[in-house]
Amino acid sequence: MPSDTAEAPGFWWKFWLIYLAGVTAATSMGKITPVSVEMREELSLSLSQVALLASLVTAVAAVLGLLVSYLLRPYDPRRMLVGGLVVMGVAGLFCAHTGSFGALFGGRLLESVGYVIVVIVAPVLLFGLGSGSRLTSALAIWGTFMPVGLAVGSFAGGVLSTWFDWQGWLTIAGAVTLVVAVATTRLPADIAAGRPAPARAAHGVSAKGHPRNLRSRVRRLARPIALGAGFATISGAIVTCVTLYPTYLHEEFDVPTETAGTLTGIVSFVGVAGGFLASALLRRGKDVKHLFLVALLMPAGAFAAFGGVGGTWGSVSSALVVALSNELVVASVFAAIPLAVRATSDMDAANGLVAQLGSIGALAAPPLVGLAVTVADGWWAVGPCLLVGTGAGTVLLCLATRAASAPDLSHA
């Protein structure tokens, strides 16, 4: 592998273009939020239905993330990245020109196909860019793609929805996705030449599906599974907060819908600083397990943010605590993927597991917490839900990286 210094001139512009693709894909999770109140009124949707539409873009990743990571392995990841963005853009334009829950459901499901392709192949491209501390730093920054995308979708939607209706905003979002797809064609064709080789039989293990091979594979993926399961609770928490927060501000404090969407976007934007802080701390040698403990601040912030403490600005300040702590932990999860695998050949599988389990959390948490709020007849229910989820998730994340070391290159 070429040294960090030798690769420095081309590393970062390639990284930032891949990062832009990830952020663009993630905006699809945040773009429904600022127009959710308008959509609920126009289409007569329930709180759980609009929360499902907001998080549905992660559906395919939630069900088929690991399988997709294997299916995409033989194909050029650069072309897959472009193709995934094109699918998302076209599906987004379809959603913009429909007017029923069923059609929106179908369009968002198609959008989720493109989303899973992007989030699976983008890290594969990153692993092919370089190695060492620079890659660790880049992976931590890459971990901010989801919260940044959520912020962009929420903030831009909140601003633009003051001039356009919800269909106009979704049209703009779909068109921008197609523009980014064109931009990613600038990535060189050989960008993934240095990615880890696929796993193959080794150390006397049969390659014909022998039970011993299966048991060995399961043991090797135990830590990535724990990492992904912990990540599910963390990603579910932030998507839940971003999805429900505009409605909470509108109902609890009579904040106008456009302002509520903009405030949610600002909270997400400011919170992104947590991801970049994680990148800097990890590059300075901080233990990733210590950063995972910051997740415990999320339920504390949620209790105050959704409990009406301190009025509107007190709630917004508490929501910032949720966003900052979440994005620091999310960034740490992506940086920890190489620590959770035993062999570099397992990188693709580990990435697929993290994407799939994280998407399950992002998909399931908003409607479930929305249902809890409805049953409890109060927004106070958000805090306890996040406490249970993130508490368990923090334990799983720490277990996934316990006594972790660099992956064994002999398996590559």
Side-chain angles (χ1 to χ4, degrees), residues 191-237:
I191 187 172
R195 65 176 175 165
R200 54 181 179 266
H203 301 287
V205 178
S206 170
K208 297 181 179 180
H210 191 279
R212 182 182 173 189
N213 184 44
L214 178 60
R215 289 194 298 270
S216 175
R217 188 70 169 168
V218 170
R219 284 196 300 269
R220 287 167 58 181
L221 293 179
R223 283 179 176 171
I225 290 172
L227 188 71
F231 180 53
T233 68
I234 305 303
S235 60

Side-chain angles (χ1 to χ4, degrees), residues 59-83:
V60 173
V63 178
L64 301 172
L66 181 59
L67 176 61
V68 171
S69 70
Y70 284 110
L71 293 178
L72 294 179
R73 181 76 202 201
Y75 301 102
D76 180 353
R78 182 184 66 103
R79 293 182 179 180
M80 291 297 99
L81 183 69
V82 175

Side-chain angles (χ1 to χ4, degrees), residues 82-162:
V82 175
L85 289 170
V86 169
V87 170
M88 293 195 72
V90 171
L93 292 176
F94 171 79
C95 290
H97 296 282
T98 188
S100 69
F101 174 75
L104 277 168
F105 185 92
R108 291 288 280 174
L109 199 60
L110 179 60
E111 202 170 354
S112 73
V113 174
Y115 174 82
V116 69
I117 293 173
V118 173
V119 299
I120 290 293
V121 301
V124 172
L125 293 172
L126 294 180
F127 288 133
L129 288 180
S131 62
S133 62
R134 191 174 61 248
L135 179 60
T136 299
S137 179
L139 287 172
I141 296 173
W142 164 253
T144 67
F145 84 91
M146 186 174 70
V148 170
L150 280 168
V152 171
S154 299
F155 182 75
V159 172
L160 293 177
S161 62
T162 60

Side-chain angles (χ1 to χ4, degrees), residues 372-397:
V373 170
T374 301
V375 172
D377 194 27
W379 290 100
W380 61 266
V382 175
C385 289
L386 263 63
L387 178 60
V388 173
T390 56
T394 302
V395 173
L396 288 168
L397 291 175

Side-chain angles (χ1 to χ4, degrees), residues 15-312:
F15 166 78
W16 288 115
L17 188 51
I18 296 169
Y19 180 79
L20 175 63
V23 168
T24 302
T27 60
S28 60
M29 287 193 291
K31 68 182 182 181
I32 299 295
T33 300
V35 294
S36 59
V37 176
E38 183 182 351
M39 290 177 68
R40 284 185 67 192
E41 294 175 351
E42 185 173 326
L43 303 179
S44 301
L45 303 177
S46 68
L47 181 61
S48 291
Q49 282 179 317
V50 75
L52 178 61
L53 288 176
S55 62
L56 190 62
V57 73
T58 64
V60 173
V63 178
L64 301 172
L66 181 59
L67 176 61
V68 171
S69 70
Y70 284 110
L71 293 178
L72 294 179
R73 181 76 202 201
Y75 301 102
D76 180 353
R78 182 184 66 103
R79 293 182 179 180
M80 291 297 99
L81 183 69
V82 175
L85 289 170
V86 169
V87 170
M88 293 195 72
V90 171
L93 292 176
F94 171 79
C95 290
H97 296 282
T98 188
S100 69
F101 174 75
L104 277 168
F105 185 92
R108 291 288 280 174
L109 199 60
L110 179 60
E111 202 170 354
S112 73
V113 174
Y115 174 82
V116 69
I117 293 173
V118 173
V119 299
I120 290 293
V121 301
V124 172
L125 293 172
L126 294 180
F127 288 133
L129 288 180
S131 62
S133 62
R134 191 174 61 248
L135 179 60
T136 299
S137 179
L139 287 172
I141 296 173
W142 164 253
T144 67
F145 84 91
M146 186 174 70
V148 170
L150 280 168
V152 171
S154 299
F155 182 75
V159 172
L160 293 177
S161 62
T162 60
W163 294 299
F164 303 97
D165 58 13
W166 66 269
Q167 292 176 312
W169 156 235
L170 294 185
T171 299
I172 294 172
V176 170
T177 303
L178 293 176
V179 171
V180 175
V182 173
T184 54
T185 61
R186 298 281 297 175
L187 290 170
D190 61 348
I191 187 172
R195 65 176 175 165
R200 54 181 179 266
H203 301 287
V205 178
S206 170
K208 297 181 179 180
H210 191 279
R212 182 182 173 189
N213 184 44
L214 178 60
R215 289 194 298 270
S216 175
R217 188 70 169 168
V218 170
R219 284 196 300 269
R220 287 167 58 181
L221 293 179
R223 283 179 176 171
I225 290 172
L227 188 71
F231 180 53
T233 68
I234 305 303
S235 60
I238 191 61
V239 175
T240 295
C241 290
V242 171
T243 300
L244 300 181
Y245 197 54
T247 303
Y248 168 74
L249 289 176
H250 178 68
E251 292 185 357
E252 190 73 14
F253 300 112
D254 294 321
V255 176
T257 56
E258 299 87 355
T259 304
T262 302
L263 282 174
T264 303
I266 291 173
V267 167
S268 297
F269 263 130
V270 176
V272 168
F276 290 95
L277 176 60
S279 176
L281 291 174
L282 289 169
R283 189 153 191 168
R284 293 182 181 182
K286 298 298 182 182
D287 192 330
V288 71
K289 293 189 291 295
H290 296 160
L291 300 188
F292 287 155
L293 296 177
V294 176
L296 298 176
L297 292 176
M298 294 174 59
F303 271 104
F306 288 89
V309 177
T312 303

Side-chain angles (χ1 to χ4, degrees), residues 2-9 134:
S3 67
D4 286 356
T5 303
E7 291 181 340
R134 191 174 61 248

